[in-house]
Amino acid sequence: MSRVAEGVSPLELADYQKAVRLVLRHPLVTPGYPDKAALATVRRWAGQLRTDLMEVLGYRLVTTADTARLQRAQDGLDATRPALTRAGRSFDRRRYAYLVLTLAALGRHGAQVALGELADAVAADAVRIDGLGLDTARKPDRDAFVDAVTWLTERGALTLADGSATAWAGDPERAEALYDIDREILLAVHHPTRVLQHLSSVTALLDSAGALGMSAGRAAQRRDQARRARRLVLENPVAYYADADTELLGQLRAPALAEDLERLTGLTVERRAEGVALIDTSGRLSDIRFPGGGTVAQAALLLAARISAAVQRSGRHALELLPAPTAAERLVARARRIDDALPTRSAIAEFATPDEPDAGAAYEMLEPYENHDEAGEERGETRYPFVTDSWLRGRLKEITGEYGAGFAADLRGDPDRLLDQALALLAAMSLIVRVDGGVLVLPLLARYRGVTARVKTRTAAQPPAQTALFADDTAKDPTP
């Protein structure tokens, strides 16, 4: 019997689970973000949330008068949850840099700040970073800076008191904006669990107990592995058994995992031969809905159906089977790419503490595990169907020819970009793994076998834009 939510009555369990999903979906909750009712919902259950989130997931919930901040334990490097602009576009490196520099500059200001003054402060810091800079005479730089400020405004760290950021971005000589600064929210936005100046590798941001296996004592290790298994299922579309080491595999298969996650979130855990997934049919917790609207999601779904059909072929038309990079190998590759971009390594090294593992040592800790089953016997290497880039380009050309009337014009005219974004979405949903020369097809993609679509024809009463509508039941169900 799960001990999760022990202090919650059956009549209130649904409300409590709503609060759980809310704080998991939005790790920072303020009086106005994500809506005006959210903070009151979280604060009502704050005590129980703190207990359950720590016990089940190893997450720490910190609440103040005006904020609720969830501090997650990170087991891996996830590129699928970027900061977004108000238009829904992912932040690029320039916008992330401006956001961090804006946070630093706001710490040096009083209760209010003018946007132009803030831009000058950020520009003074940005010019010292090779390849960055902030030139307020350039419209792209102003737009990127305003995107960073708007991200803080949406969360309540800044409140517009007068003027318009959009007008300033259009013409800073004629327009200005004045902001009130909320110190409490500002501190909650940037609440690192490590002293960043002491880090020599991005791997040091990962949960030291779960990801790097550094817990002392067998009982503590089992507790950490149980939490890590629950996090893996919660934070990803699917947790594949083939990616798990021996101890993690046992925890993924344990009945307690499903009991705890289902009672905590109100969602359903689904087990299959290849892995386990937490099913979110309503999108109450998911940060990515798939299938979904828009050209990229529609093209990705149709491409998934064609890939799935190709996987079913046998004989001389069968796809080649190749091993996929393990989760540890993918983590090492991501870490190396990030660490390669660290500025002025020698300056960072000056602050590093003597007992802090260097990047090379961190990579050694993350080397692939020995792939054994629970009986201690070595598991066979798992191989997946391989689809080439040229084959994918050909199928996307067919899709565009058949359904392109419902696609956005800019993506329809740039098939390489559309293919890249569609494959990135499929990879984010754990349906494929991108490798050199193509993709490897993962088991979850079979769920989208047989998807059909039609292009909605335009009538006199309809606007000129056309939309591809998906007709089969699979496309209506966003669950893995």
Side-chain angles (χ1 to χ4, degrees):
M1 180 69 179
S2 174
R3 298 179 60 186
V4 175
E6 278 189 320
V8 181
S9 71
L11 292 177
E12 295 182 308
L13 184 59
D15 287 338
Y16 172 68
Q17 291 168 338
K18 178 181 177 181
V20 171
R21 294 192 298 268
L22 175 63
V23 77
L24 288 173
R25 181 69 180 85
H26 302 284
L28 175 63
V29 180
T30 68
Y33 183 83
D35 56 58
K36 293 182 178 180
L39 185 60
T41 300
V42 175
R43 287 183 62 82
R44 177 192 175 195
W45 297 104
Q48 188 69 50
L49 286 169
R50 274 193 289 269
T51 299
D52 288 341
L53 291 171
M54 175 56 70
E55 181 63 28
V56 176
L57 300 167
Y59 291 170
R60 183 184 178 205
L61 180 66
V62 179
T63 57
T64 66
D66 290 327
T67 65
R69 184 69 160 94
L70 184 66
Q71 296 178 343
R72 281 187 164 99
Q74 295 293 124
D75 300 306
L77 303 173
D78 188 354
T80 68
R81 298 167 189 160
L84 300 174
T85 67
R86 184 165 287 182
R89 296 186 178 90
S90 300
F91 269 34
D92 55 16
R93 295 178 66 180
R94 179 173 296 275
R95 283 166 172 79
Y96 280 121
Y98 287 166
L99 176 58
V100 173
L101 293 177
T102 298
L103 286 167
L106 288 171
R108 303 190 293 267
H109 284 80
Q112 287 188 322
V113 63
L115 187 59
E117 180 185 2
L118 183 60
D120 289 341
V122 171
D125 292 333
V127 74
R128 295 197 291 266
I129 301 175
D130 291 342
L132 183 60
L134 169 57
D135 184 355
T136 55
R138 296 184 68 252
K139 183 65 161 59
D141 284 10
R142 296 198 302 271
D143 287 341
F145 172 68
V146 167
D147 282 340
V149 170
T150 300
W151 190 92
L152 292 171
T153 304
E154 290 174 345
R155 284 150 183 82
L158 294 173
T159 301
L160 183 66
D162 192 20
S164 167
T166 302
W168 179 89
D171 187 352
E173 298 296 327
R174 295 177 176 271
E176 185 57 279
L178 181 67
Y179 289 92
D180 294 327
I181 303 172
D182 190 312
R183 294 277 165 213
E184 188 172 307
I185 296 177
L186 198 64
L187 290 172
V189 168
H190 183 61
H191 201 129
T193 58
R194 311 286 197 278
V195 179
L196 300 184
Q197 289 91 337
H198 291 181
L199 307 185
S200 58
S201 169
V202 70
T203 55
L205 290 172
L206 302 181
D207 175 56
S208 59
L212 302 182
M214 297 169 64
S215 291
R218 182 64 180 172
Q221 288 182 354
R222 288 186 62 83
R223 180 198 63 197
D224 292 337
Q225 287 289 356
R227 288 173 173 170
R228 185 183 171 203
R230 298 185 197 108
R231 293 195 295 261
L232 187 64
V233 175
L234 175 73
E235 300 282 6
N236 297 278
V238 61
Y240 288 113
Y241 295 142
D243 273 340
D245 57 38
T246 304
E247 290 192 7
L248 190 60
L249 181 61
Q251 294 292 345
L252 287 173
R253 288 176 170 164
L257 178 141
E259 294 173 7
D260 290 343
L261 286 179
E262 288 179 351
R263 185 162 175 82
L264 181 69
T265 65
L267 307 180
T268 301
V269 172
E270 178 180 302
R271 295 185 185 277
R272 295 294 177 95
E274 299 86 1
V276 56
L278 188 65
I279 306 302
D280 181 17
T281 57
S282 66
R284 295 170 295 181
L285 182 59
S286 303
D287 56 338
I288 302 175
R289 290 184 63 88
F290 184 78
T295 296
V296 173
Q298 294 172 354
L301 182 62
L302 292 168
L303 191 59
R306 281 165 167 74
I307 295 172
S308 185
V311 171
Q312 302 306 306
R313 296 172 186 162
S314 58
R316 65 186 184 90
H317 297 293
L319 297 177
E320 181 182 6
L321 300 179
L322 298 176
T326 67
E329 289 170 337
R330 295 196 295 271
L331 175 55
V332 169
R334 292 190 190 108
R336 289 189 189 278
R337 287 198 298 272
I338 295 172
D339 287 350
D340 285 344
L342 282 174
T344 321
R345 286 176 176 268
S346 58
I348 294 176
E350 291 178 6
F351 293 98
T353 55
D355 59 345
E356 182 73 37
D358 61 21
Y363 296 141
E364 290 178 7
M365 292 181 189
L366 298 171
E367 284 301 317
Y369 53 82
E370 294 295 328
N371 199 13
H372 295 81
D373 62 19
E374 293 175 280
E377 297 180 0
E378 187 171 354
R379 284 186 261 161
E381 183 180 52
T382 304
R383 291 175 171 265
Y384 301 97
F386 173 69
V387 179
T388 66
D389 286 333
S390 61
W391 186 93
L392 291 166
R393 284 192 291 269
R395 300 298 77 73
L396 183 66
K397 183 177 180 180
E398 296 172 358
I399 291 169
T400 303
E402 189 171 354
Y403 303 104
F407 290 173
D410 60 329
L411 289 171
R412 186 174 63 241
D414 191 349
D416 289 340
R417 182 160 68 99
L418 177 56
L419 179 60
D420 181 69
Q421 293 184 14
L423 293 179
L425 177 57
L426 295 178
M429 295 302 300
S430 298
L431 302 174
I432 63 171
V433 173
R434 301 184 75 171
V435 295
D436 291 341
V439 303
L440 298 176
V441 185
L442 300 181
L444 184 59
L445 188 129
R447 186 176 289 266
Y448 302 99
R449 185 184 309 140
V451 167
T452 59
R454 62 184 174 86
V455 177
K456 186 176 181 181
T457 56
R458 187 176 64 185
T459 65
Q462 290 175 322
Q466 295 176 324
T467 304
L469 300 179
F470 296 98
D472 83 342
D473 291 336
T474 302
K476 298 174 185 177
D477 182 2
T479 65

